[in-house]
Each structure stands twice: as C-alpha cells, then as structure tokens.
Amino acid sequence: MKVSAARLYGKNDVRLETFDFPAIKDNEILLEVQADSLCMSTWKAIQAGADHKRVPDDVDTNPIIIGHEFSGVIRQVGREWQNDYTEGQMVTIQPALNYKGSMDSPGYSYKYCGGDATYVILPPEVMILGALLPVKTDAFFKSALSEPYSCVIGAVHSLFRTSRQEHVHALGPLADGNMAILGGCGPMGLAALDYALAMDNHPGYIVVTDQDEARIERAKKIFEPVAAERGIRLSIVNTAGKDDYQLLYDLTEGKKFDDIMVMVPVPAVIELADRLLAFNGCMNFFAGPINTDLTARVNFYDVHYFEKHIVGTTGGNNDDQKEALLLMEQQLIHPESLITHVGGLDAAGPASCNLPGIGGGKKLIYTHKRFPLVPLDELSARAAEPSEYAGLYAGLADIVSRHNGLWNVEAERYVLKHAPEV
C-alpha cells in the first residue's frame, strides 16, 4: 500500500514523501492516523538529527516518520493481537516505551511508525507494553492531546513532600496549598493548569506567570471561569518589567509556594522558583532544555535546612495517559484550549522545523488532509484572500467563532469532510 508521511533524514531535513508500506506481520497492527499534535521535542530531534539519543545513526538512509502525539483508527490487526484489539477501534498510543531498556520511540526511531503519516505500522513492543490505548473521546484531536497531558500529569504526580518521622515521600502537590506555574501560558503550562484545576486534591491557590500579554489574556478568558466554578483561587500575571519575586510574594500575602512547575528553561526562572519555594516544597523543572550545559544557582542551605526538593520529569506513562483520557471523557479538562493552529499533512514538516518561530500553542495536523498551517484567529482574514482554501477557512471561521475562538468537535468534523485530501 502507498503511504504519505513526513520523514526525517537528518538535521533540519524533513521531507513529505509517498512510499510503499510492507504488509503487517502477525505481531503488528496497521493504524490509520487521523490527527497528530506537533511537539517541541520533535523540533529538538530535527535539530539534532542522528545526534539525538532516540534517532537512529543511519537515519540518512533509513528515514524515520516524525510525530508522536497521534490518534487514529485500527485498520488491520495481526494474528497475535486479534483477541485484544479490533478493526475500526479508535486508539492512541503512549510513545515513551522504554522496551527492554531501548530508547526507541514512535516519532523518533521507527521507519514505519510516527504520527505525521496517513498510516503507521505499530511494532509489537507498543502492544506488549500496553501502550496502545483504546479511547472513547468524541474527537481525534482530544485523544491525540492525551499524550502531552500525560506528561504534565506525570510531572504533577512526581511532586512530593518528605516526613522526618516516617522517612516516606508523600506524592503529589499539597492539597489546598499554593502552586506556581512559571512561564505557564504556553501549551504545556496551560495543560498543567488545566490538570491542577481538575484534580481531586487540588491546590487552593494557583499563580501562573508569563510575559506575553496576548497569551495571558487568552488563558484568563479560558480558565478564570473554570477556577471560579470549582472554588480555586487563580491569578494569571504578567511579570515583564516587574520584580517578579515581590509580585508573587505579595500575591500570596507573604507565603511561599508549596509546589512550583518551571515551564521554561531559563536560569533566572529556575532561580526565582528556588527563592519562592516553601519549607518542604517541591519544584519540578519540566522544561526540557536543548542546552546540555544549562545551569542555575540553587540555595543548598535551603535544600538542607528547609527540606526543599527539586525534581525533573519528562513524558508520562500509560496510567498518566489513561487518566488524561478519562478526564476528557468526563469533560473535566479542556484540550481545545491548547490548540492555536491547524493544518494538513503538508504543513507538518515545515511547522515542525520552525516550531519556536511560529508562536502560539499546539499545532494540530490532520494527516489525510492538505492545507497550510493556519492560526485559528486568522481564519476570517484567510477566508477573504483568494486561494483554493478560502471556502474551507470561511466554514471553519464560522464554527470556531461560535465556540469562543476555540477548536472543537464540529470544526474537526468539518475538516475531515471538506478539506482537500493528501
């Protein structure tokens, strides 16, 4: 069969190609991909090429398919898995496999398995590890975003407190405590905020910082009503040009933060988190740096005497992603809040190569469709321009405007029905 995919050949070398797929083996599954969400981790892999720890050394002659936040429909089940999965089943995957100590991962390592493709062959390790997850959500974009949500869910679960009496770690944020999400109006910061608001043992007060006023206003519009409905104090503040320590310290009326999520790899932000951390508090350095020499000053007097804790996490696990899917089914989290751009498969490569320069939140790719990456807030303007996509943009502009400017199930169905095929 013929498959189209965005394939990585080396540093900054991604090509959209159509090529032959082999028949699946008895221990494999053929998945028709419908949606893939682009991730900054893919951009890092594109910058590094074969130097990336997950990308094969021979990627120049055996290219891999990029993308790992995807959702689709099972089209063919190998004999070994026919008691576990069925054709027509909607699924997503948890790409952090770590199978037998291997770093191989969909979207980084496999010739036939990555999210920016019309079809993929799921290797047996995905099923062996229980990483092929059935979903019940009403849209492909939601289940595709369950993977990034799993990353922040895993990060929040990894926060901890210690006890001198019992020498045990109490996992999770402090219930009814103070939480800060620094640099938090990007897509992963908003996912962390969304999850913190949905938790049973949620913080009592959440402060989110950023320096982009447009992103701050968008976050306020989406999440302030959610926080008010659930009885959780929320402040989303702009720290640009301000004494950020004093600003946050004043917000908590002189109390420090029990839990802090650091969402940007900036030494000054890490040092701010260190200063703001309360006794027996925990900081999660979530932002994955590309700089291998990133350092920041930490007060180890406080680490010793005030029992401050610092952790770093990357990715989630199967349980984290299952929790994300359940919260989506219960409509307790808002994956639509992360999406600011949509496009077809032809947009996946160029967008992945230039993610830091595009700005905004998540870029959602519909892998069987062909149209340029477009910001949701520019749909109306694009519809007024002469192009073959003007009608598509006009229809989407109307739908998105009726959903407070957010992506939604109706918009997805419109794309799947009306956008040009690859």
Side-chain angles (χ1 to χ4, degrees):
M1 63 180 295
K2 293 289 186 180
V3 170
S4 296
R7 299 204 286 181
L8 177 69
Y9 280 82
K11 295 180 180 179
N12 290 298
D13 187 358
V14 178
R15 310 174 196 176
L16 177 61
E17 299 177 318
T18 299
F19 53 97
D20 290 317
F21 249 28
I24 66 167
K25 301 174 184 176
D26 286 346
N27 61 355
E28 296 175 332
I29 287 178
L30 180 69
L31 176 70
E32 182 181 9
V33 183
Q34 291 292 343
D36 179 70
S37 169
L38 304 186
C39 178
M40 192 64 73
S41 295
T42 297
W43 176 79
K44 295 171 188 175
I46 292 170
Q47 303 310 299
D51 293 335
H52 192 279
K53 60 186 177 182
R54 295 186 188 274
V55 175
D57 293 337
D58 64 347
V59 69
D60 59 330
T61 54
N62 287 291
I64 60 91
I65 302 174
I66 62 171
H68 58 273
E69 301 176 358
F70 59 93
S71 176
V73 178
I74 292 175
R75 292 306 180 201
Q76 190 176 353
V77 182
R79 181 178 54 82
E80 293 186 15
W81 302 108
Q82 290 179 357
N83 292 330
D84 302 285
Y85 300 97
T86 59
E87 293 181 13
Q89 191 173 16
M90 184 176 175
V91 294
T92 186
I93 72 161
Q94 169 52 250
L97 301 180
N98 298 317
Y99 182 60
K100 294 184 177 180
S102 171
M103 294 295 292
D104 287 353
S105 180
Y108 300 91
S109 316
Y110 291 99
K111 188 174 182 178
Y112 301 120
C113 188
D116 290 312
T118 49
Y119 293 84
V120 299
I121 295 175
L122 299 176
E125 49 266 36
V126 173
M127 285 69 77
I128 290 170
L129 295 173
L132 180 58
L133 306 176
V135 299
K136 299 177 183 177
T137 58
D138 55 356
F140 291 109
F141 79 84
K142 294 182 181 180
S143 48
L145 288 171
S146 66
E147 193 282 333
Y149 269 94
S150 80
C151 298
V152 297
I153 289 172
V156 172
H157 284 318
S158 297
L159 297 165
F160 71 94
R161 259 135 288 280
T162 53
S163 169
R164 289 182 177 179
Q165 287 72 35
E166 300 176 303
H167 296 297
V168 295
H169 290 182
L171 293 176
L174 184 66
D176 206 36
N178 292 333
M179 173 182 279
I181 305 175
L182 305 183
C185 288
M188 298 309 288
L190 294 184
L193 169 60
D194 201 11
Y195 178 62
L197 291 170
M199 296 181 67
D200 288 334
N201 296 319
H202 54 74
Y205 185 27
I206 303 172
V207 176
V208 182
T209 71
D210 207 280
Q211 296 191 351
D212 184 315
E213 190 60 33
R215 297 204 310 183
I216 289 169
E217 290 306 312
R218 182 176 183 273
K220 286 181 176 180
K221 179 181 177 181
I222 296 169
F223 288 107
E224 284 184 342
V226 178
E229 178 184 337
R230 297 175 185 174
I232 303 170
R233 290 181 64 203
L234 173 64
S235 296
I236 305 175
V237 297
N238 191 335
T239 59
K242 300 173 183 175
D243 182 336
D244 44 12
Y245 175 83
Q246 195 62 49
L247 172 64
L248 271 65
Y249 195 65
D250 289 344
L251 285 173
T252 58
E253 299 176 345
K255 296 181 180 179
K256 293 192 174 184
F257 290 87
D258 305 290
D259 298 284
I260 300 179
M261 304 284 291
V262 177
M263 309 306 292
V264 290
V266 177
V269 179
I270 300 169
E271 293 169 6
L272 172 65
D274 175 56
R275 294 175 64 198
L276 288 169
L277 200 56
F279 175 83
N280 206 7
C282 189
M283 175 210 310
N284 187 312
F285 176 64
F286 182 85
I290 195 169
N291 177 10
T292 58
D293 297 321
L294 179 67
T295 58
R297 296 179 62 184
V298 173
N299 187 329
F300 277 90
Y301 180 94
D302 288 357
V303 169
H304 183 84
Y305 287 106
F306 293 96
E307 301 182 24
K308 294 184 177 181
H309 315 295
I310 302 173
V311 298
T313 58
T314 178
N317 60 28
N318 293 354
D319 289 338
D320 297 327
Q321 195 160 348
K322 289 176 183 177
E323 184 176 356
L325 289 166
L326 179 60
L327 290 170
M328 289 178 187
E329 292 168 22
Q330 297 171 334
Q331 299 185 347
L332 291 175
I333 56 176
H334 307 79
E336 65 277 4
S337 67
L338 276 58
I339 299 168
T340 57
H341 297 65
V342 294
L345 184 61
D346 51 324
S352 295
C353 289
N354 190 38
L355 273 182
I358 298 174
K362 279 289 186 182
K363 287 74 185 172
L364 182 69
I365 300 297
Y366 285 99
T367 58
H368 282 266
K369 300 300 177 178
R370 173 181 55 82
F371 63 101
L373 191 74
V374 56
L376 299 186
D377 59 5
E378 293 183 13
L379 284 168
S380 294
R382 298 286 182 92
E385 299 172 355
S387 80
E388 66 173 300
Y389 308 107
L392 174 68
Y393 295 153
L396 288 176
D398 175 64
I399 295 169
V400 169
S401 67
R402 288 190 277 103
H403 290 81
N404 297 315
L406 300 176
W407 197 244
N408 56 84
V409 176
E410 184 184 358
E412 174 170 289
R413 292 173 180 169
Y414 189 87
V415 164
L416 294 178
K417 183 177 180 179
H418 295 286
E421 296 290 322
V422 171

